[in-house]
Amino acid sequence: MMRFRISEAAELLGVSPDTVRRWIDAGRLPADRDEHGHRLIDGAELAAFARAQHEQAEGGETSARNRLRGIVTAVVKDGVMAQVDIQAGPFRIVSLMSREAVDELDLRVGSVATAVIKSTTVVVEKAPSRR
């Protein structure tokens, strides 16, 4: 059975350890204590919580499931095209789009934007064992 420390769960959920502690204290996220009194979260429980958080945050109806909210860190425009960089937590998203779309969305450095990613190819890598 995979179990996660609060700091690991926080990293996976993209929140602070204090937020995870508050969720546990409020009974929103179940956790047990190990022999040293440290709180541990069952992997299946964490996965269910993450799915519920995602479903609650998703807005509108779309087939795209990958939505990363972040801050625009760069906008480079030329005559027809533009490149927009978004920092979403630890992830840098780079989008190439028309200059017209950037202007219509009024995207500029410091704007909050959501990268919606729909892809036919996704590479999945397994994280190295923690032990």
Side-chain angles (χ1 to χ4, degrees):
M1 172 172 69
M2 189 71 148
R3 299 187 333 162
F4 296 92
R5 296 187 316 263
I6 287 177
S7 61
E8 294 171 320
E11 182 180 346
L12 291 169
L13 295 171
V15 298
S16 73
D18 285 337
T19 297
V20 173
R21 284 187 196 91
R22 283 193 295 274
W23 287 335
I24 292 169
D25 292 343
R28 293 181 59 197
L29 181 60
D32 297 316
R33 293 199 182 262
D34 66 9
E35 62 276 5
H36 303 291
H38 299 123
R39 291 187 274 192
L40 297 173
I41 303 160
D42 175 71
E45 293 283 353
L46 184 60
F49 182 81
R51 178 177 293 278
Q53 288 292 104
H54 172 74
E55 289 169 357
Q56 184 179 17
E58 230 180 53
E61 292 185 24
T62 179
S63 64
R65 298 291 178 244
N66 304 301
R67 303 173 67 84
L68 301 169
R69 187 169 186 259
I71 188 166
V72 175
T73 57
V75 177
V76 179
K77 299 182 204 178
D78 69 14
V80 176
M81 296 300 293
Q83 175 180 317
V84 177
D85 292 23
I86 299 172
Q87 192 67 39
F91 306 107
R92 177 178 175 236
I93 315 299
V94 178
S95 178
L96 301 176
M97 64 183 76
S98 70
R99 179 188 181 115
E100 180 182 14
V102 170
D103 292 340
E104 285 179 10
L105 293 170
D106 195 26
L107 293 175
R108 49 183 121 163
V109 173
S111 300
V112 174
T114 300
V116 180
I117 302 161
K118 179 78 174 184
S119 178
T120 57
T121 304
V122 176
V123 176
V124 176
E125 297 177 343
K126 184 176 179 183
S129 177
R130 297 182 305 155
R131 295 168 199 203

